[in-house]
Amino acid sequence: MWTHPDWQERPLPPAKRLRTYASWCNAVEGNTTFYATPQRRTVESWVRQTDPDFRFVIKLPRTVTHERRLTGIDNEMNAFLDAVEPLGRRLHALWIQLPGSFTDLAALANLLEGLPPHYRAAVEVRHPAFFENSRAIAQLEALLEAAGAEWIPFDTTVLFAAEPRSAAEREAQSKKPRVRRRTRALTEFPIVRYHGRDDPEATVAGWQPWVEQTVAWLREGRSPTIFIHTPDNASSRTLSRRFHAEVRARLPELEPLPDPIPTDPMTLF
């Protein structure tokens, strides 16, 4: 995500793009790892561009979650964990995003039990049963709590609150899950994915419950990570800082975000 073209006011070499992003936000979703396990040297470059307390939430490869559906994955998981090992404490959580048809809790339990204990896991489910069936919800919560894993909610309620008004909103509605909002944290480290609209003010109005929930979590001693999405994500970086500012307005002791590295086009004067 740190290579988003709308965030490049002037061309930046690959070795500086993440560093620039990390001056705007202190966490990132590692979505590219879903498509291919990165080279270890690539991960080492991520380490060089970020501070030790920067948070990577790294998605497991689709070969593990969507193709093999968590079964017979030892080789793929070993290769993946070896590749991301240089992140060390920067690896905030392994993001296990499961397909909308997935309900195999036994396979999920085996994966979580087999992870080395120093890895934190966070699971995103999309099957409707985990949002509508009380028995399925209770079973998944019990499994995750036993493993010390978090449940990542992907809140798309604002995205689906009205008919799409642009091609980007139409595409987002065609690809994103339409499930109920979930706000219960299972661990000290809740992770939330919130999806808004093209209109920044609609996005801001829709995230107000998450501002209040984030403040509550912080007051409880939890350490949440909140990701802000829009249909084209062009304004997500700026909106993320606005969300942080709203939380900090209610909780002034919250540490401020860093000052962004300027990326405006260079001029002679």
Side-chain angles (χ1 to χ4, degrees):
M1 182 54 69
W2 58 82
T3 62
H4 195 296
D6 287 328
W7 299 351
Q8 315 298 320
E9 288 83 355
R10 61 182 171 89
L12 292 172
K16 292 187 178 180
R17 292 172 186 168
L18 176 55
R19 185 181 303 280
T20 300
Y21 170 88
S23 73
W24 282 77
C25 301
N26 54 16
V28 74
E29 291 180 345
N31 190 56
T32 59
T33 55
F34 179 71
Y35 301 99
T37 295
Q39 296 291 320
R40 190 178 173 98
R41 64 177 178 272
T42 299
V43 177
E44 290 170 348
S45 76
W46 300 347
V47 173
R48 292 192 294 271
Q49 295 181 66
T50 55
D51 292 335
D53 59 352
F54 186 85
R55 295 181 174 185
F56 287 86
V57 178
I58 298 291
K59 191 186 289 189
L60 293 193
R62 61 183 171 186
T63 53
V64 170
T65 55
H66 287 58
E67 295 173 14
R68 294 185 179 270
R69 300 174 75 86
L70 309 188
T71 301
I73 55 172
D74 288 353
N75 291 339
E76 290 82 359
M77 282 299 300
N78 289 336
F80 181 76
L81 294 178
D82 180 70
V84 301
E85 187 271 336
L87 289 176
R89 59 180 279 193
R90 292 172 176 81
L91 181 48
H92 183 68
L94 294 172
W95 172 14
I96 305 167
Q97 185 186 81
L98 298 171
S101 59
F102 187 94
T103 59
D104 189 349
L105 295 187
L108 177 58
N110 288 336
L111 170 66
L112 295 176
E113 291 169 4
L115 288 175
H118 59 280
Y119 286 110
R120 185 180 299 121
V123 179
E124 179 186 338
V125 292
R126 296 188 170 189
H127 193 285
F130 295 122
F131 300 89
E132 300 168 3
N133 184 297
S134 59
R135 184 169 180 266
I137 294 169
Q139 288 177 330
L140 178 57
E141 286 184 344
L143 186 160
L144 295 176
E145 288 183 310
E150 189 53 82
W151 181 332
I152 301 180
F154 189 14
D155 183 3
T156 59
T157 53
V158 172
L159 172 65
F160 287 101
E163 292 298 313
R165 297 185 176 89
S166 69
E169 288 188 348
R170 188 172 301 108
E171 182 180 10
Q173 288 191 358
S174 71
K175 293 182 177 180
K176 308 305 180 186
R178 187 171 189 171
V179 295
R180 296 178 181 176
R181 177 184 292 150
R182 174 189 165 83
T183 60
R184 184 187 175 206
L186 302 179
T187 71
E188 179 186 348
F189 300 100
I191 299 172
V192 173
R193 307 182 68 224
Y194 166 81
H195 202 300
R197 305 280 300 205
D198 286 339
D199 179 3
E201 297 311 312
T203 299
V204 170
W207 77 31
Q208 293 309 309
W210 287 116
V211 171
E212 298 303 327
Q213 184 63 71
T214 301
V215 170
W217 281 335
L218 289 166
R219 285 177 173 158
E220 292 169 0
R222 301 181 197 262
S223 183
T225 305
I226 315 295
F227 294 111
I228 306 298
H229 289 263
T230 63
D232 63 6
N233 279 319
S235 60
S236 291
R237 191 177 60 168
T238 301
L239 285 168
S240 295
R241 292 181 66 89
R242 183 169 173 180
F243 181 93
H244 187 279
E246 288 197 15
V247 173
R248 193 162 181 258
R250 293 163 172 79
L251 206 66
E253 61 269 31
L254 180 64
E255 185 176 347
L257 290 173
D259 293 327
I261 296 174
T263 56
D264 294 331
M266 298 178 66
T267 61
L268 293 176
F269 305 100

